[in-house]
Amino acid sequence: MATPKTTPGGGAKEKAGAGGAVPVPQRLMAAATRLFSERGYDRTSVQEIVEAAGVTKGALYHYFGSKDDLLHEIYGRLLRLQQDRLDAYADAEQPVEQRLRRAAADVVVTTIDNLDDARIFFRSMHQLSPEKQKQVRAERRLYHERFRDLVQEGQRTGVFNAATPPDLVVDYHFGSVHHLSSWYRPDGRLTPQQVADHLADLLLRALRP
Amino acid sequence: MATPKTTPGGGAKEKAGAGGAVPVPQRLMAAATRLFSERGYDRTSVQEIVEAAGVTKGALYHYFGSKDDLLHEIYGRLLRLQQDRLDAYADAEQPVEQRLRRAAADVVVTTIDNLDDARIFFRSMHQLSPEKQKQVRAERRLYHERFRDLVQEGQRTGVFNAATPPDLVVDYHFGSVHHLSSWYRPDGRLTPQQVADHLADLLLRALRP
Amino acid sequence: MATPKTTPGGGAKEKAGAGGAVPVPQRLMAAATRLFSERGYDRTSVQEIVEAAGVTKGALYHYFGSKDDLLHEIYGRLLRLQQDRLDAYADAEQPVEQRLRRAAADVVVTTIDNLDDARIFFRSMHQLSPEKQKQVRAERRLYHERFRDLVQEGQRTGVFNAATPPDLVVDYHFGSVHHLSSWYRPDGRLTPQQVADHLADLLLRALRP
Amino acid sequence: MATPKTTPGGGAKEKAGAGGAVPVPQRLMAAATRLFSERGYDRTSVQEIVEAAGVTKGALYHYFGSKDDLLHEIYGRLLRLQQDRLDAYADAEQPVEQRLRRAAADVVVTTIDNLDDARIFFRSMHQLSPEKQKQVRAERRLYHERFRDLVQEGQRTGVFNAATPPDLVVDYHFGSVHHLSSWYRPDGRLTPQQVADHLADLLLRALRP
DNA sequence: AATGAATGAGACTTCATTCAT
DNA sequence: TATGAATGAAGTCTCATTCAT
């Protein structure tokens, strides 16, 4: 694998002259994200991606080792984003109740803001190559555990109802987060923030002692 | 299109002589269900299905109009099952609190009992042909509305907290139901009934006034 | 892999009506043999093979699992032929001198008669998949050993000069056999039988005590 | 086409400062030789060659006009070497019997010492461009004829058996030389010199009157 | 009721080579 | 002297479906 295949889009070399020209790797990622989200990974051909990005197949394979790699990059982008945000909320100096509420609401807003990524995530994960899947799952587990620790802390300190196993509580909340990409429409009645507040409320109410 | 393609497996014509032989359409459905669940709809070839069912391609196309039809049948099977059960719980003569709790728990157990069907449902819906997808969505909406009406009834009568829009409550719960196929393992610590009770508890607690 | 992929061309079902129609698998083998010999395995595309055979790519992959399989079949055909003939000569009731001479001459004639197969054999063996290569090598080794045993027998009984290790004698002779496909031209001065007699003479003279 | 493409590696311009650094053209030739021998010409990509040599594609195309050129260079190197050695042996002041024996043995040792080159030679010649192939064949013919003249001389003077056409004798011997790259292993029981002596013995014995 | 040979379009990927820098 | 992004053609193989039997 040639060098550029590792961190596509990392460099800042843009086409001279065209001030706002978006670099090829980014164009490819954007096209792939939209298409994967619209019609699914398997139903999107490499040909369609490169046409949408305005490049040739050779260019795609210059930057990405495989179609699978594109999917992996999309995952990585979302995972890093969400992990960073969760860490920030979890590390805050606040009562656990507030930390959990904010983290729970934030992941909803972030998911809605990146609804294409999210839809791809929940729908196409099993289409990743086994080894990449393993890697993604491992990162996902870290995220889950961080979230679970918040629940656990609240239960231990008596702030939350301890009747439900904390792992199950996390899956409960993330079920509703995953589900967002199935029903949320940007033109619907509720803003992302409103949805987030409602879902966080439901979670916190469910955890009241 | 030959006659049997309309309601495959409906008739009881089994291979003469072989008392317990499973009819071909059922064998095909079972094989397709397992394979679609394991590796996804697009990654399962018709050839693999017929091999797993022990028949030939001609036989499949004798009973089903297309690969797509198999998927549609799996959906129909699950949808009918869940709609029937929900109707029974919703029509019961009990306080709305109990009716909702039982319906919410039951759909969890039913989903776990049919985890392959459920996984296919949440993962491959967008691979159905547009018209079949429309039909499935319409049936799904009926189901959703029936469930929502229970929530609404409780909110109207003051039994449930009315702070959250009832549609959102339904999506909240069904998010966690969909998510089951991503994490539930039959060999895990919790039985289906225990998971169902926990999730119903969380829902009911979230709805406390 | 579907059934027909195992022994292509085994069945005798020919196109009704066309009395002398050659079955598809044979047509494919013949086209592949000619093309592989002419321009090498890697330089021959599947497209070219099916065009030469007058069928479609789908048909090729119906009968053969891969391009590699075609090559393997060509090998199998030649190996079986040569092994059978060597066995017949080696088992004959004759002095070892005559048995070796006849076997040595026969393999020359057979090689010339199947010069395309032979050229493919010596040129493209390393393009077989590793496991098929292993299998071919094993069969080849049996052939080599059978031939070597003849040399050894003559050396033990004093009929042949024992100065050279018998394995080396075999490689010596088969080197010249392999080389035939590099220089022999059907329109040259010597008939296959004449070449065979000369090469067998050289071998036998080299083995004189 | 830039100047250096004609005689790559001929100049002695090495990287200033790095005393023992091997010049780029040589590094490329060495890498190509190893890879072509290991996996064949067509199966070796330009990318692999430049990676193995530690340079980039641009560098390769700076020194060589094409991938094909690399192959041609390898041929040229071996051909020049062998022609020079044969000339030396053939011109020696010795009885023809000794001159032939020494030449025959020497080509065996030289071939074993350059087994990668030899393997490439006998396996990938047909992958050269037609015109380069013609050129190589012409040089090869000169070599063959020089060798044949030795045989002929011996036959004319009665030192060798004249029963076999001299061209055939040459092909006979060179068949076994070509074949070396198929079976000789450096870790085997026989040293290059021993193999050479055995093969020369066989040839000379086959030529006894 | 069922077979299985055959189709033909389209899938992902590789690669030698060029060219602006 | 050397880079490496980009090309574009060609490569092997898969697959849902049809149809004569």
Side-chain angles (χ1 to χ4, degrees):
Chain A
M1 306 298 162
T3 321
K5 290 193 181 173
T6 48
T7 325
K13 274 185 207 163
E14 305 185 6
K15 258 199 172 105
V22 180
V24 167
Q26 270 94 325
R27 291 223 302 277
L28 284 164
M29 285 282 283
T33 301
R34 182 169 56 77
L35 290 166
F36 289 167
S37 166
E38 267 173 32
R39 60 190 80 167
Y41 177 79
D42 277 333
R43 301 264 167 126
T44 302
S45 73
V46 167
Q47 187 59 42
E48 288 168 326
I49 297 170
V50 299
E51 272 167 20
V55 302
T56 62
K57 270 191 267 200
L60 187 153
Y61 282 95
H62 181 70
Y63 289 106
F64 300 91
S66 64
K67 186 186 171 189
D68 191 81
D69 261 13
L70 273 170
L71 188 54
H72 195 195
E73 284 293 328
I74 294 171
Y75 283 173
R77 186 174 61 184
L78 183 61
L79 288 168
R80 282 190 298 273
L81 175 70
Q82 297 200 325
Q83 185 73 54
D84 288 350
R85 301 187 69 92
L86 173 56
D87 288 344
Y89 283 105
D91 289 338
E93 303 244 353
Q94 293 180 324
V96 67
E97 217 172 334
Q98 280 193 39
R99 277 180 282 143
L100 180 63
R101 169 184 295 275
R102 293 186 169 213
D106 181 73
V107 72
V108 171
V109 172
T110 305
T111 296
I112 292 180
D113 284 349
N114 299 275
L115 212 55
D116 277 352
D117 285 26
R119 197 183 338 266
I120 293 168
F121 196 102
F122 306 129
R123 197 180 263 170
S124 303
M125 165 110 73
H126 62 291
Q127 281 151 344
L128 266 184
S129 74
E131 60 192 66
K132 291 206 186 81
Q133 214 169 128
K134 205 170 155 188
Q135 190 184 329
V136 169
R137 257 194 254 276
E139 295 178 40
R140 198 64 192 163
R141 193 172 317 119
L142 287 180
Y143 184 82
H144 176 107
E145 286 167 359
R146 188 87 214 246
F147 205 94
R148 183 201 56 193
D149 290 345
L150 284 180
V151 175
Q152 219 161 16
E153 180 186 342
Q155 290 181 324
R156 216 177 38 235
T157 58
V159 180
F160 297 151
N161 183 325
T164 319
D167 281 316
L168 191 51
V169 172
V170 178
D171 283 322
Y172 180 61
H173 183 65
F174 279 99
S176 73
V177 171
H178 291 191
H179 198 39
L180 282 168
S181 65
S182 295
W183 66 265
Y184 186 83
R185 297 289 169 267
D187 54 353
R189 269 195 302 277
L190 299 172
T191 66
Q193 190 59 54
Q194 286 174 322
V195 173
D197 289 339
H198 279 309
L199 292 181
D201 280 351
L202 285 165
L203 175 64
L204 270 290
R205 287 209 300 267
L207 284 175
R208 273 181 311 181
Chain B
M1 310 295 162
T3 322
K5 288 193 181 173
T6 47
T7 326
K13 277 186 207 165
E14 303 182 7
K15 253 192 177 117
V22 179
V24 167
Q26 270 94 326
R27 290 223 303 276
L28 284 165
M29 285 281 285
T33 301
R34 182 168 58 77
L35 290 166
F36 289 168
S37 166
E38 267 174 31
R39 61 191 80 167
Y41 176 78
D42 278 331
R43 306 247 167 141
T44 302
S45 73
V46 168
Q47 186 60 42
E48 288 169 324
I49 297 170
V50 300
E51 270 168 24
V55 302
T56 62
K57 276 196 241 191
L60 187 153
Y61 281 94
H62 181 73
Y63 290 108
F64 298 90
S66 66
K67 185 186 171 189
D68 191 81
D69 263 12
L70 274 169
L71 188 55
H72 195 200
E73 283 295 326
I74 293 170
Y75 282 173
R77 186 173 62 185
L78 184 62
L79 288 168
R80 282 190 299 273
L81 175 70
Q82 297 199 326
Q83 186 72 55
D84 288 350
R85 300 187 69 92
L86 174 56
D87 288 344
Y89 283 104
D91 289 339
E93 304 245 353
Q94 292 180 324
V96 68
E97 216 172 335
Q98 281 193 36
R99 278 180 283 144
L100 181 63
R101 171 185 292 276
R102 292 186 171 213
D106 180 74
V107 71
V108 171
V109 172
T110 305
T111 295
I112 292 180
D113 284 348
N114 298 275
L115 212 56
D116 277 352
D117 285 27
R119 198 183 337 264
I120 294 168
F121 196 102
F122 306 130
R123 200 178 260 172
S124 303
M125 168 111 71
H126 62 292
Q127 283 154 342
L128 266 183
S129 73
E131 58 192 65
K132 290 208 186 76
Q133 213 169 131
K134 206 171 155 187
Q135 188 184 329
V136 168
R137 257 194 254 275
E139 295 179 41
R140 199 64 192 162
R141 193 173 317 117
L142 287 180
Y143 184 83
H144 176 105
E145 286 166 359
R146 186 89 215 246
F147 205 94
R148 183 200 57 193
D149 290 345
L150 283 180
V151 174
Q152 220 162 15
E153 181 188 339
Q155 291 181 323
R156 214 176 41 237
T157 58
V159 180
F160 297 152
N161 185 322
T164 318
D167 279 317
L168 191 50
V169 172
V170 178
D171 282 323
Y172 182 59
H173 183 64
F174 279 99
S176 73
V177 171
H178 290 192
H179 198 38
L180 284 169
S181 65
S182 294
W183 67 264
Y184 186 83
R185 295 289 170 268
D187 54 353
R189 268 195 302 277
L190 299 173
T191 65
Q193 190 58 53
Q194 286 173 322
V195 173
D197 288 339
H198 278 309
L199 293 181
D201 279 352
L202 285 165
L203 175 65
L204 270 291
R205 288 207 302 265
L207 286 175
R208 275 178 306 180
Chain C
M1 306 297 162
T3 320
K5 291 192 180 172
T6 48
T7 324
K13 274 185 208 165
E14 305 185 5
K15 260 204 171 99
V22 179
V24 167
Q26 271 93 326
R27 291 222 303 277
L28 285 165
M29 284 281 284
T33 301
R34 182 169 57 76
L35 290 166
F36 288 167
S37 166
E38 267 173 32
R39 60 190 80 169
Y41 177 79
D42 278 333
R43 302 266 167 126
T44 302
S45 73
V46 167
Q47 187 60 43
E48 288 168 325
I49 297 170
V50 299
E51 271 166 22
V55 302
T56 62
K57 267 189 269 197
L60 187 154
Y61 283 96
H62 182 69
Y63 290 106
F64 299 90
S66 64
K67 186 186 171 188
D68 190 83
D69 261 14
L70 274 169
L71 188 55
H72 195 196
E73 285 293 328
I74 294 171
Y75 284 173
R77 187 173 59 185
L78 183 61
L79 287 169
R80 281 189 299 272
L81 175 70
Q82 296 199 325
Q83 185 73 54
D84 288 349
R85 299 187 69 92
L86 173 56
D87 287 344
Y89 284 103
D91 289 339
E93 304 243 354
Q94 294 179 324
V96 67
E97 218 172 334
Q98 281 192 36
R99 277 180 282 144
L100 181 64
R101 171 184 292 274
R102 292 185 169 213
D106 181 73
V107 71
V108 172
V109 172
T110 305
T111 296
I112 293 180
D113 284 348
N114 299 275
L115 211 56
D116 277 351
D117 285 25
R119 194 180 344 261
I120 294 168
F121 197 101
F122 306 129
R123 195 180 267 171
S124 303
M125 166 109 74
H126 62 292
Q127 281 152 343
L128 265 185
S129 74
E131 59 192 65
K132 290 206 186 81
Q133 214 169 128
K134 207 171 155 187
Q135 189 185 328
V136 169
R137 258 194 253 275
E139 296 178 39
R140 200 64 192 164
R141 192 171 319 119
L142 288 180
Y143 184 83
H144 176 106
E145 286 166 0
R146 187 89 215 246
F147 205 94
R148 183 201 57 194
D149 290 346
L150 283 179
V151 175
Q152 219 161 15
E153 181 187 340
Q155 290 181 325
R156 216 178 38 235
T157 58
V159 180
F160 296 151
N161 183 325
T164 319
D167 280 315
L168 190 50
V169 172
V170 178
D171 283 321
Y172 181 61
H173 183 65
F174 279 99
S176 73
V177 171
H178 291 191
H179 198 39
L180 283 169
S181 65
S182 293
W183 67 264
Y184 185 83
R185 296 289 170 268
D187 54 352
R189 268 195 302 278
L190 299 172
T191 66
Q193 190 59 53
Q194 286 173 322
V195 174
D197 288 338
H198 278 310
L199 293 181
D201 279 351
L202 285 166
L203 175 64
L204 270 290
R205 287 208 300 266
L207 284 175
R208 273 180 311 180
Chain D
M1 308 296 162
T3 323
K5 289 194 182 172
T6 45
T7 326
K13 277 184 207 166
E14 304 185 7
K15 257 200 173 107
V22 179
V24 167
Q26 270 93 327
R27 290 225 302 278
L28 285 164
M29 285 283 283
T33 302
R34 182 168 56 78
L35 289 167
F36 289 167
S37 166
E38 268 173 32
R39 61 190 80 165
Y41 177 78
D42 278 331
R43 306 247 167 142
T44 302
S45 73
V46 168
Q47 186 60 42
E48 288 169 325
I49 296 170
V50 298
E51 270 168 24
V55 304
T56 62
K57 277 196 241 190
L60 187 152
Y61 281 94
H62 180 73
Y63 290 108
F64 299 90
S66 65
K67 185 186 170 189
D68 191 81
D69 263 12
L70 274 169
L71 188 54
H72 195 199
E73 283 295 327
I74 294 170
Y75 283 173
R77 186 175 60 186
L78 183 61
L79 288 167
R80 283 189 300 273
L81 175 69
Q82 297 200 324
Q83 185 72 54
D84 288 349
R85 301 186 69 92
L86 174 56
D87 287 345
Y89 284 104
D91 290 340
E93 305 244 354
Q94 293 178 324
V96 66
E97 215 172 337
Q98 279 194 37
R99 277 181 281 142
L100 180 64
R101 169 185 294 275
R102 291 187 169 212
D106 181 73
V107 71
V108 171
V109 172
T110 305
T111 296
I112 292 179
D113 283 348
N114 298 276
L115 213 53
D116 277 352
D117 284 27
R119 198 180 342 261
I120 294 168
F121 196 101
F122 305 128
R123 201 178 259 174
S124 302
M125 167 111 71
H126 61 293
Q127 282 152 344
L128 266 183
S129 73
E131 59 192 63
K132 290 207 185 80
Q133 213 169 129
K134 207 170 154 187
Q135 188 184 330
V136 169
R137 257 194 255 275
E139 295 179 41
R140 198 65 192 162
R141 193 171 318 117
L142 287 179
Y143 183 83
H144 176 106
E145 286 165 359
R146 187 87 215 245
F147 205 95
R148 183 200 56 192
D149 291 345
L150 283 180
V151 175
Q152 220 161 15
E153 180 186 341
Q155 290 181 326
R156 214 177 40 236
T157 58
V159 180
F160 297 151
N161 184 323
T164 318
D167 280 317
L168 190 51
V169 172
V170 178
D171 283 322
Y172 182 60
H173 183 65
F174 280 99
S176 73
V177 172
H178 291 192
H179 197 39
L180 283 168
S181 65
S182 294
W183 69 263
Y184 186 82
R185 296 288 168 269
D187 53 352
R189 269 195 301 278
L190 299 172
T191 66
Q193 190 58 52
Q194 286 174 320
V195 173
D197 289 338
H198 279 307
L199 293 181
D201 279 351
L202 285 166
L203 175 65
L204 271 290
R205 287 208 301 265
L207 285 176
R208 276 178 305 181

